Amino acid sequence: MAPLADYLTVNISSPNTPGLRALQDKGALEELLSAVMEERDAVAGSAPKVPVFLKVAPDLEPADIDDIVDVTAKHGLDALIISNTTITRPPLRSRNKDETGGLSGAPLKDLALQRLKDFRAASGGNIPLIGVGGIASAEDAYERIRAGASLVQLYTAMIYQGPTMARSMARGLARLLKRDGFSSVAEAVGSTEK
Ligand SMILES: Cc1cc2nc3c(=O)[nH]c(=O)nc-3n(C[C@H](O)[C@H](O)[C@H](O)COP(=O)(O)O)c2cc1C
């Protein structure tokens, strides 16, 4: 995929593939990422290297987070994507609340934001982070950026709001940055820490 893609994501965090999330354990992750990065470099030769991101689950313990940060830095991955869906169940009203599988959208928002903050703290701002999980407005995107995300992704909100939401979010984000005196998104990244 490297010659074709703008970036590649190693996604080891889907709850819907049995055993996949075990690859987040340090030993397995080392083996996987060293092979991926070696191949990425070999394919590129002297051409620019395609960025490689690692996408993780929100259902991680503090020790897992430290391990993932270590391995990511060691193998020179370009960013971490935080996070995929959760297998936990925050209080839900839906009659489908006992279904198994990954939960996305609004009920994931607080957990995904907290994990982003955890990864920001563990990495000391040295690894670019991509925030995802329950983002549905410019305010949500801005909160994630200020907590340390250099980029945001969204999936569920697109289902409810449709594709034009990207434009309204970009406009809203520009307004929020201006209101708070930032001249770029990059300037606002991690600014809630200051
Ligand atoms: C039905 C469904 C399929 C998904 N498939 C993928 C996938 O193939 N690769 C991936 O990295 N993430 C996948 N995700 C995770 C989403 O990209 C995203 O991380 C997660 O849904 C949280 O964001 P959201 O609350 O904006 O949906 C999927 C999520 C859902 C709900």
Side-chain angles (χ1 to χ4, degrees), residues 163-173:
T164 59
M165 72 172 299
R167 186 173 52 189
S168 54
M169 279 182 73
R171 284 187 179 149
L173 198 50

Side-chain angles (χ1 to χ4, degrees), residues 9 11 13 16 55 81 83-85 102-106 108 132-135 153-157:
T9 299
N11 174 23
S13 47
N16 304 326
K55 186 163 182 175
I81 307 181
S83 70
N84 211 308
T85 52
L103 178 70
S104 69
L108 171 62
V132 51
I135 296 173
Q153 287 186 339
L154 51 92
Y155 184 115
T156 302

Side-chain angles (χ1 to χ4, degrees), residues 31-43:
E31 202 179 319
L32 175 67
L33 295 183
S34 68
V36 167
M37 298 311 274
E38 207 174 287
E39 190 62 23
R40 188 271 310 249
D41 293 353
V43 167

